[in-house]
Amino acid sequence: MAIATHFDNRGIAIAAVIIFSWLGLLAFLLTSYAVDFSSPLTWVFVLLQTHLYTGLFITAHDAMHGVVAPGRPKLNKVIGAVAAFLFAYNWYPRLLPKHHQHHRHVATEQDPDYHHGSFWPWYLSFLRNYITWWQILLMAITYNVLQLLFPLENVILFWMVPAILATFQLFYFGTYLPHKGEHEPDNLHRSSTQDKNHLWAFISCYFFGYHYEHHDKPYLPWWQLYKAKG
């Protein structure tokens, strides 16, 4: 007698929305949008594409916790690998052990995300940990191909700049703010959290400002993390 198995497909659907929104908007902005630097719409598109870039990494991050496609590890890994690769050619098998090391040794010398210092040295340390020379090479090759096919200002504004801004966004809201400074001895996760504001928490970094909550309940996907906020 076959036993029915129920899979939760919501994470897959949400990951697909983020990935295809990023691809679709990028295709439109490269092929059909005439850049006007005086138009607020141009900068809205830059910010929107930045947010979707951040969503790619957050999707890859959730895959590292097995919550994009729970119960289907192969599909979960594929989605995570695709999302990571689309974000500046990040390599999922390299990110996975680093992220779990961060959770095991949060805000200690063994934490690859942590740096005992001020903002800019920490940011540079963060970049060194997560950007490799082969990524830079692939980005350079892609840039040179794209600028042959599409207007240069579109390539820079909507493909290059959002990737850089998203890296800054992920670092600032998801690493620096939650882990900077000293934490109380009874703070098990050595993490702080932002004040409750679900709209700002989503806009700023897909609820990862609720960072203590993430470390406390890493089994919650980003789109359910707000539920852990007291």
Side-chain angles (χ1 to χ4, degrees):
M1 179 178 177
I3 299 175
T5 302
H6 173 71
F7 291 113
D8 188 341
N9 293 316
R10 291 175 296 173
I12 299 170
I14 290 169
V17 167
I18 290 173
I19 290 170
F20 287 107
S21 294
W22 177 84
L23 283 170
L25 183 59
L26 180 62
F28 165 73
L29 293 172
L30 291 180
T31 62
S32 304
Y33 183 74
V35 171
D36 178 359
F37 290 100
S38 65
S39 170
L41 186 60
T42 294
W43 306 109
V44 168
F45 279 138
V46 170
L47 293 176
L48 181 56
Q49 195 65 358
T50 298
H51 190 65
L52 290 170
Y53 257 113
T54 299
L56 291 177
F57 196 90
I58 295 296
T59 299
H61 164 273
D62 270 10
M64 295 176 208
H65 289 285
V67 298
V68 171
R72 285 172 280 187
K74 290 183 179 179
L75 178 59
N76 183 84
K77 182 178 179 180
V78 167
I79 295 172
V82 169
F85 196 72
L86 291 175
F87 189 152
Y89 300 107
N90 279 285
W91 187 238
Y92 184 83
R94 181 175 179 270
L95 296 177
L96 182 61
K98 281 180 172 286
H99 186 65
H100 284 286
Q101 186 178 349
H102 163 67
H103 272 263
R104 287 193 303 269
H105 305 288
V106 61
T108 68
E109 295 301 321
Q110 288 76 44
D111 181 355
D113 291 4
Y114 184 72
H115 179 81
H116 189 71
S118 58
F119 178 85
W120 289 111
W122 192 342
Y123 182 55
L124 292 176
S125 174
F126 180 81
L127 293 180
R128 284 197 299 270
N129 270 319
Y130 286 98
I131 297 178
T132 63
W133 285 109
W134 68 265
Q135 282 178 265
I136 295 173
L137 176 61
L138 286 173
M139 290 289 283
I141 292 171
T142 304
Y143 168 79
N144 280 284
V145 171
L146 289 177
Q147 60 95 19
L148 292 175
L149 301 173
F150 308 110
L152 180 59
E153 59 268 26
N154 293 59
V155 173
I156 293 174
L157 274 179
F158 303 125
W159 179 74
M160 180 184 295
V161 170
I164 296 169
L165 291 178
T167 302
F168 186 86
Q169 182 178 5
L170 286 160
F171 169 73
Y172 184 73
F173 292 105
T175 297
Y176 177 73
L177 284 184
H179 297 302
K180 70 182 179 72
E182 299 298 325
H183 299 284
E184 296 297 327
D186 60 350
N187 186 328
L188 298 178
H189 305 299
R190 301 170 70 103
S191 307
S192 60
T193 186
Q194 73 174 67
D195 293 337
K196 186 175 180 178
N197 184 324
H198 294 336
L199 178 61
W200 173 241
F202 168 70
I203 292 172
S204 60
C205 200
Y206 292 78
F207 298 113
F208 272 84
Y210 297 159
H211 208 76
Y212 183 93
E213 290 77 9
H214 165 61
H215 278 269
D216 196 51
K217 296 178 173 65
Y219 53 83
L220 288 179
W222 72 262
W223 45 274
Q224 290 190 332
L225 192 55
Y226 74 94
K227 295 179 181 179
K229 187 69 177 175

